C-alpha cells in the first residue's frame, strides 16, 4: 500500500509497529524458551541529565497511556509481519490477541526528575512488557526534552506569556506532541491548530510578512488586517522600516491596537525604541511581542526590555540543544519461573562506560529540608523508610491493563509549576551546573517482591 493512502491522522489506529524489530524477535525466542510468561519489572530512567540541566521534566505520560491502549496487532499489521517473515506463525498467533494486562506506575506527569529516578515502572509478563519498550521511550524521550526546554524558557520569561510556534521546524505529528509538552512546561498558547484541536491548548496567530508583501503598501496590509480581525489584532512591523510601520499601525488601528510583533534585528534595542514610540503615539496599552529564533538565553537577555510576550519555535521543538533525554527501559527484576507465586529476583546490566544499571524493583521519594525545599531524590528497593512514606513519587497509572490515572492537561501543567517551585532556587539558573539535588540510593531486600 502507498503510505500516502494512509493519510496523516493526529491519532493512529494502532501503535503496535511503533517499535523496533528486536522486540518481536525477543518475544519469539522467549516463547520458544518457555520464559515469555515470567513476571517481570521494567523501569524507565536516565543515567544523567543533559549537560548543564539542573532538573528534568516528566512529560508524555498521558500519550504513553494512549499508546498502551492502542497497542493492537490487527489484520493489516499481522499481514505485514507475516509478509516480511519478521516472526513465525506461533508468535503471530500470540500477537493477534495481545492486550497489555499488567500494571504501570510512574512519576505523575509534570513532576521533575533526576538521574536514576524510576520515572516509569512497567510490570507484567516479560512478553507483554518488552513489546512496549520502544514506543514508551519514543514518547517520554521526546516530550520530556521539549517540556524541560519549555520549563527553562518559562523561568527565564519571568511570568511573561510564551507562544509555541515551532510546527514548521519539526515533523508534523511531532509538532502536536511538542505543543502539548510546551504547554505542560509553562507556555501559554500555540500557533498549531492540530494541537489546539487535539489537546484544547489556546491557539493564536494573525499574519506573516507574506501578507504585508502581498499588498501595494504596508498601510493597505494593516488596514485589511484591522478590517478583518479588529483593532485588538497584532500587526507585524518589521517588514520594511520598523519606526514607520509602528507609526502607520497606530494611525490605522488607533491607540486600541492590540500588539505589534518584532521578528528581526537587535530585539533589546528595537523593543525599547518601539515602546517609546508607542507611548508617544498614545498607544500605551499596545503590547510588544518578539520572535526570531529565541531560546532561554535570549529570553533571559530580554528581561529588562519592554517585551510583553515571546514567540518561540526552533529552539523549543528541538529541546534547545537537547532533543532527547537519553532515557532507557531496563529489566530490573524477573521471576525464576512462570509461576505467579515465584518471587522476583533483581537483575541488572553490568558493563563499563557508565552504562550499568541498578537491579531491583524501586520506589522513589523526595526528601525535603526544614523549609520544605527538596534536598535529595531518594531511590531504593525493599521497604520504604518511615520518614519518606508520605513523600513517595510513583503513582499507579495502569492497573490490570486498565488506565486509572488519566488527567486534564491543565492539572499536569499546574503540577509542574508546583514541582519546580519546590526545588532550590538554583534550579532555574541558566548557567551550567550539576543536578540541583543529588540522587541517593537505599539498597534493601528486593528478591521476594
Amino acid at each position: 500500500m502507498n503510505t500516502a493512502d494512509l493519510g496523516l491522522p493526529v491519532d493512529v489506529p494502532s501503535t503496535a509497529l511503533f517499535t523496533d524489530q528486536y522486540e518481536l524477535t525477543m518475544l519469539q525466542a522467549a516463547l520458544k524458551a518457555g520464559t515469555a510468561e515470567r513476571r517481570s519489572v521494567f523501569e524507565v530512567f536516565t543515567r544523567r541529565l543533559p549537560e548543564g540541566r539542573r532538573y528534568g521534566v516528566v512529560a508524555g505520560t498521558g500519550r504513553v497511556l494512549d499508546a498502551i491502549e492502542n497497542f493492537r496487532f490487527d489484520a493489516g499489521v499481522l499481514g505485514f509481519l507475516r509478509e516480511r517473515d519478521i516472526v513465525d506463525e506461533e508468535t503471530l498467533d500470540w500477537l493477534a490477541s495481545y492486550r497489555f494486562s499488567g500494571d504501570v506506575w510512574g512519576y505523575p506527569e509534570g513532576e521533575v526528575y533526576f538521574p536514576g529516578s524510576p520515572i516509569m515502572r512497567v510490570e507484567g509478563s516479560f512478553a507483554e512488557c518488552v513489546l512496549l519498550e520502544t514506543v514508551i521511550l519514543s514518547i517520554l524521550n521526546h516530550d520530556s526534552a521539549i517540556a524541560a526546554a519549555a520549563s527553562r524558557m518559562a523561568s527565564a520569561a519571568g511570568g511573561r506569556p510564551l507562544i509555541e510556534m515551532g510546527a514548521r521546524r519539526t515533523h508534523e505529528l511531532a509538532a502536536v506532541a511538542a505543543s502539548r509538552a510546551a504547554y505542560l512546561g509553562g507556555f501559554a498558547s500555540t500557533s498549531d491548530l492540530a494541537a489546539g484541536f487535539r489537546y484544547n491548548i489556546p491557539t493564536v496567530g494573525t499574519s506573516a510578512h507574506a501578507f504585508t508583501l502581498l499588498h501595494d503598501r504596508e498601510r493597505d496590509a494593516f488596514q485589511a488586517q484591522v478590517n478583518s480581525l479588529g483593532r485588538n489584532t497584532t500587526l507585524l512591523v518589521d517588514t520594511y522600516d520598523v519606526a514607520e510601520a509602528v507609526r502607520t499601525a497606530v494611525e490605522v488601528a488607533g491607540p486600541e491596537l492590540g500588539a505589534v510583533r518584532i521578528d528581526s534585528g537587535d530585539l533589546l534595542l528595537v523593543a525599547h525604541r518601539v515602546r517609546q514610540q508607542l507611548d508617544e503615539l498614545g498607544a500605551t496599552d499596545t503590547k510588544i511581542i518578539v520572535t526570531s529564533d529565541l531560546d532561554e538565553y535570549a529570553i533571559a537577555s530580554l528581561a529588562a526590555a519592554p517585551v510583553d510576550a515571546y514567540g518561540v519555535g526552533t529552539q523549543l521543538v528541538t529541546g534547545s540543544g537537547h532533543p532527547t533525554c537519553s532515557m532507557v527501559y531496563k529489566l530490573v527484576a524477573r521471576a525464576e519461573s512462570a509461576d505467579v507465586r515465584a518471587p522476583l529476583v533483581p537483575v541488572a546490566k553490568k558493563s563499563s562506560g557508565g552504562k550499568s544499571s541498578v537491579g531491583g524493583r524501586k520506589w522513589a521519594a523526595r526528601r525535603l529540608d526544614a523549609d520544605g525545599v527538596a534536598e535529595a531524590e531518594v531511590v531504593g528497593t525493599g521497604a520504604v523508610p518511615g520518614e519518606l512514606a508520605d513523600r513517595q513519587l510513583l503513582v499507579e497509572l495502569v492497573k490490570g491493563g486498565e488506565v486509572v490515572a488519566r488527567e486534564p492537561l491543565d492539572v499536569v501543567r499546574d503540577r509542574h509549576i508546583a514541582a519546580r517551585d519546590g526545588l532550590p532556587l538554583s534550579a532555574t539558573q541558566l548557567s551550567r551546573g550539576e543536578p540541583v539535588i543529588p540522587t541517593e540510593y537505599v539498597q534493601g531486600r528486593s528478591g521476594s517482591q
Side-chain angles (χ1 to χ4, degrees):
M1 177 184 291
N2 188 326
T3 55
D5 296 335
L6 297 176
L8 291 171
V10 174
D11 293 312
V12 295
S14 170
T15 52
L17 292 185
F18 290 171
T19 192
D20 293 302
Q21 180 169 315
Y22 78 171
E23 312 291 7
L24 300 187
T25 53
M26 279 194 289
L27 168 65
Q28 176 177 304
L31 288 171
K32 290 184 179 299
T35 53
E37 296 305 318
R38 288 186 176 186
R39 189 160 61 105
S40 300
V41 179
F42 286 83
E43 288 176 352
V44 177
F45 63 93
T46 184
R47 297 183 176 94
R48 63 192 65 84
L49 296 179
E51 184 180 358
R53 297 290 167 90
R54 304 297 181 90
Y55 62 92
V57 180
V58 178
T61 307
R63 297 209 305 121
V64 167
L65 299 180
D66 292 340
I68 291 174
E69 284 189 330
N70 291 326
F71 207 90
R72 303 285 187 268
F73 292 84
D74 58 25
V77 170
L78 293 170
F80 165 78
L81 297 175
R82 180 177 290 109
E83 178 185 340
R84 296 291 183 92
D85 196 26
I86 304 295
V87 291
D88 59 22
E89 286 298 322
E90 177 187 357
T91 306
L92 291 172
D93 290 342
W94 190 93
L95 292 173
S97 59
Y98 177 85
R99 300 290 186 275
F100 180 74
S101 63
D103 302 328
V104 179
W105 291 72
Y107 279 37
E109 191 167 17
E111 184 57 85
V112 296
Y113 71 87
F114 300 92
S117 297
I119 297 164
M120 186 169 286
R121 191 175 72 219
V122 183
E123 305 182 24
S125 71
F126 175 84
E128 63 181 339
C129 294
V130 74
L131 294 181
L132 299 176
E133 174 182 7
T134 303
V135 70
I136 287 176
L137 289 179
S138 176
I139 293 171
L140 293 180
N141 268 312
H142 174 268
D143 289 22
S144 296
I146 306 305
S151 180
R152 284 163 58 86
M153 293 174 187
S155 294
R160 295 171 178 174
L162 291 157
I163 306 164
E164 186 280 311
M165 47 196 309
R168 63 189 62 195
R169 297 291 186 255
T170 188
H171 184 279
E172 63 272 22
L173 295 186
V176 181
S179 293
R180 181 185 185 279
Y183 187 69
L184 181 163
F187 274 59
S189 57
T190 179
S191 66
D192 190 77
L193 290 177
F197 173 76
R198 177 69 177 84
Y199 297 115
N200 199 32
I201 300 170
T203 58
V204 296
T206 51
S207 67
H209 292 104
F211 186 76
T212 300
L213 296 170
L214 169 68
H215 293 80
D216 296 334
R217 299 183 304 163
E218 191 170 47
R219 177 181 295 273
D220 296 337
F222 289 173
Q223 189 66 64
Q225 185 173 327
V226 169
N227 289 346
S228 176
L229 301 178
R231 297 177 184 274
N232 196 43
T233 191
T234 299
L235 295 176
L236 181 59
V237 295
D238 72 326
T239 305
Y240 305 118
D241 179 82
V242 172
E244 181 61 30
V246 170
R247 185 179 304 108
T248 302
V250 176
E251 288 176 359
V252 169
E256 301 86 7
L257 174 63
V260 295
R261 178 162 74 95
I262 307 166
D263 188 51
S264 60
D266 183 335
L267 297 178
L268 179 63
L269 175 63
V270 175
H272 277 287
R273 288 178 174 174
V274 168
R275 181 72 272 160
Q276 180 179 354
Q277 185 180 10
L278 286 170
D279 292 346
E280 290 173 350
L281 294 170
T284 56
D285 293 329
T286 299
K287 299 185 183 303
I288 297 175
I289 301 171
V290 297
T291 54
S292 186
D293 208 25
L294 300 176
D295 62 10
E296 59 265 49
Y297 301 101
I299 291 169
S301 73
L302 293 168
V307 172
D308 298 286
Y310 306 92
V312 189
T314 303
Q315 292 302 316
L316 175 65
V317 299
T318 56
S320 195
H322 298 290
T324 181
C325 301
S326 299
M327 293 178 187
V328 294
Y329 183 95
K330 295 298 181 183
L331 181 66
V332 297
R334 52 85 174 169
E336 292 182 328
S337 72
D339 189 331
V340 294
R341 297 165 298 181
L344 289 174
V345 177
V347 294
K349 176 181 178 181
K350 303 296 183 184
S351 64
S352 59
K355 296 187 71 173
S356 61
S357 56
V358 178
R361 182 178 183 271
K362 299 175 196 69
W363 51 263
R366 191 160 298 143
R367 191 173 68 239
L368 309 182
D369 65 16
D371 296 317
V373 177
E375 66 176 10
E377 191 88 339
V378 186
V379 177
T381 57
V384 181
E387 67 273 16
L388 294 175
D390 63 348
R391 300 299 309 167
Q392 293 189 71
L393 292 163
L394 278 79
V395 299
E396 195 168 29
L397 302 172
V398 178
K399 183 176 182 178
E402 298 295 326
V403 174
V404 296
R406 193 170 269 114
E407 298 179 301
L409 190 54
D410 282 330
V411 171
V412 173
R413 174 185 168 91
D414 290 344
R415 178 183 293 122
H416 174 62
I417 294 172
R420 188 179 62 201
D421 288 347
L423 297 176
L425 288 176
S426 57
T428 58
Q429 290 179 346
L430 296 182
S431 57
R432 296 188 180 277
E434 297 300 314
V436 70
I437 61 174
T439 302
E440 300 177 0
Y441 289 96
V442 177
Q443 294 291 339
R445 296 181 62 189
S446 58
S448 58
Q449 300 171 49

